[in-house]
Amino acid sequence: MSLIDWFANLFVKEAKHYVFSPVASDVEKLVFQEGQHYFRLRLAEMFLKDDRKLFRKLVPVVSSVVSLSFGDNAAQQLPNVAGPLALNLNESALGKGVQLNYSLTNLVPYRGGTISIDAALLAYVSKDYFASFLSLANSVSSLLTSGQLSAALKVADSAAGALQDLLDSGDKEVRLVYHNEYAGSDQLGGVSLESGYFAVIAAEAGKFNPEKLVVKNSQLCSGDDLASAKPLTGYDYMLFSVEAALYRDDFRYFTEYNSLLYTAIEKGMSDRTAGDAVIRAGMLAVFKSDDLTYVDKTRVAAALKAEYEERLSLQGKWKGLPGADGEWLNGRALAINPAEVWKQIAPLFAAKLADADLAGRILVMIDQGEIA
């Protein structure tokens, strides 16, 4: 049985009409565009209205699986288990305190198509083995929420199987189950994927006023206005956030890019032609990456080329890049403005060129200084 089937069985058991609502916050509303934005799902907060029932200690755990397009896979499943980290917590502390902002996915390039989200709020009975269970579940989940997703997917199937086995074990109650799919646009009868917060609450629809909900400091609150709103209590709930990002700030830690950059610099110091060939290979590797959007591929390729040129120039003073913020850290460009990059490559994108041709055209523009 797959994790999707596991969630389907939960829906059969928990067929209740609960509250689903977008929640007001200071997050800018942004509709995702294919090739331009990254998507990341976070569990901002989970809450059980009671942590004791029949003298048993209950700990909230949220299990989720996100299905989306990644690379050549049109329906990649990204499983996760979010719960209080068991490390260094004794039984009296487990499940207590403030637990916010669990990443349920890595930063994933939005490629359009269908994105589906399944999640369940589970109340686990804290027993002797629970800390070990939760520690293992969090360790497995962390494999898919950091670094390069393309590398982590090598263990995705094993992770899904391990998480399913862990979830099937133990004494638990199912408190809330959620499913939603995003595809197309609202204007054309679809469901647009937008940044922002949404909540799933175990309150009877029609008897709960979601208009009073607001997010303060990543917590779900309720009140007549932002200043007077207090944390919501008395209900089991899950608060999610959908993050939209224009660029990744960790691309320098991608092993392949970093290795090719420094190989190019090393060779270029003695043989400029050899160095140029290596840095171009690095730029092509960027455009073959499944971990970057097209706008960010252009930005990263340009940043690698710019650093290569600057390192070989042996200039004592680093200068800002044309069209960029001009910020440097230890001689490295922090970022080339992704909004400006998009303006430069938008005409090519609109022409809907073949993938390889588009990458080649953009590389030519970088070489000729049209993108900097």
Side-chain angles (χ1 to χ4, degrees):
M1 180 176 67
S2 69
L3 270 176
I4 295 297
D5 294 331
W6 187 84
F7 277 101
N9 287 337
L10 293 186
F11 270 105
V12 172
K13 298 175 183 177
E14 297 293 313
K16 298 180 181 180
H17 199 63
Y18 288 141
V19 171
F20 165 79
S21 177
V23 184
S25 70
D26 57 2
V27 173
E28 179 185 358
K29 288 290 185 181
L30 185 151
V31 177
F32 284 78
Q33 300 295 323
E34 185 272 331
Q36 297 185 48
H37 298 118
Y38 291 100
F39 159 87
R40 174 156 49 200
L41 180 69
R42 296 183 191 272
L43 174 68
E45 187 184 16
M46 54 185 160
F47 187 79
L48 294 178
K49 64 182 179 182
D50 55 348
D51 65 356
R52 290 178 179 272
K53 187 175 183 181
L54 299 177
F55 305 101
R56 300 184 305 172
K57 294 184 178 180
L58 301 177
V59 179
V61 173
V62 169
S63 172
S64 67
V65 60
V66 177
S67 298
L68 44 71
S69 297
F70 183 82
D72 296 329
N73 194 330
Q76 180 66 56
Q77 295 182 15
L78 306 179
N80 199 288
V81 170
L85 295 177
L87 187 62
N88 296 327
L89 294 180
N90 58 34
E91 186 175 340
S92 63
L94 192 61
K96 306 293 184 179
V98 179
Q99 303 153 25
L100 304 174
N101 293 317
Y102 293 87
S103 293
L104 300 182
T105 70
N106 200 332
L107 272 179
V108 183
Y110 178 67
R111 297 186 57 189
T114 299
I115 291 181
S116 68
I117 301 172
D118 289 272
L121 175 62
L122 311 170
Y124 273 87
V125 178
S126 180
K127 295 184 177 180
D128 292 339
Y129 59 82
F130 183 77
S132 298
F133 151 75
L134 198 53
S135 179
L136 179 57
N138 276 283
S139 296
V140 174
S141 299
S142 66
L143 295 174
L144 299 176
T145 56
S146 60
Q148 290 176 258
L149 182 58
S150 58
L153 288 180
K154 297 175 182 177
V155 298
D157 291 339
S158 298
L163 290 178
Q164 183 180 322
D165 291 342
L166 290 170
L167 292 167
D168 283 336
S169 64
D171 190 359
K172 63 181 179 293
E173 298 176 7
V174 180
R175 294 295 185 88
L176 269 174
V177 185
Y178 168 74
H179 171 83
N180 204 351
E181 292 187 3
Y182 301 87
S185 65
D186 294 338
Q187 293 82 358
L188 298 176
V191 181
S192 298
L193 179 64
E194 298 182 349
S195 58
Y197 286 89
F198 65 88
V200 184
I201 306 169
E204 186 176 344
K207 296 184 179 181
F208 182 90
N209 184 6
E211 294 182 0
K212 291 190 174 184
L213 296 176
V214 64
V215 174
K216 293 173 62 175
N217 300 320
S218 300
Q219 293 181 292
L220 185 61
C221 299
S222 179
D224 294 327
D225 54 55
L226 181 62
S228 64
K230 303 296 183 183
L232 182 68
T233 58
Y235 302 94
D236 300 322
Y237 65 80
M238 297 181 285
L239 175 66
F240 296 93
S241 95
V242 177
E243 175 188 354
L246 284 174
Y247 65 91
R248 296 191 64 149
D249 59 4
D250 60 347
F251 72 88
R252 293 191 181 283
Y253 299 99
F254 290 8
T255 303
E256 184 177 13
Y257 308 162
N258 198 53
S259 176
L260 286 170
L261 172 61
Y262 283 99
T263 299
I265 293 172
E266 181 180 6
K267 288 184 176 296
M269 289 290 187
S270 56
D271 185 344
R272 180 59 189 252
T273 301
D276 288 353
V278 175
I279 196 62
R280 189 169 182 81
M283 295 164 69
L284 287 170
V286 168
F287 276 97
K288 292 179 180 179
S289 173
D290 292 326
D291 294 289
L292 302 172
T293 64
Y294 241 109
V295 173
D296 219 17
K297 287 177 181 180
T298 304
R299 183 185 69 91
V300 170
L304 292 179
K305 178 71 180 301
E307 181 168 345
Y308 168 72
E309 296 289 350
E310 288 287 339
R311 293 290 178 115
L312 291 188
S313 71
L314 297 178
Q315 293 178 354
K317 182 179 180 181
W318 295 99
K319 298 179 181 179
L321 294 176
D325 294 333
E327 297 178 338
W328 290 82
L329 177 63
N330 296 328
R332 291 184 169 191
L334 293 181
I336 295 175
N337 192 329
E340 291 300 319
V341 169
W342 172 245
K343 289 179 182 178
Q344 292 168 316
I345 68 172
L348 297 180
F349 224 73
K352 297 182 179 179
L353 302 174
D355 188 81
D357 186 32
L358 181 55
R361 292 281 296 277
I362 293 174
L363 285 174
V364 170
M365 292 173 68
I366 294 173
D367 286 338
Q368 294 177 350
E370 297 177 42
I371 296 177

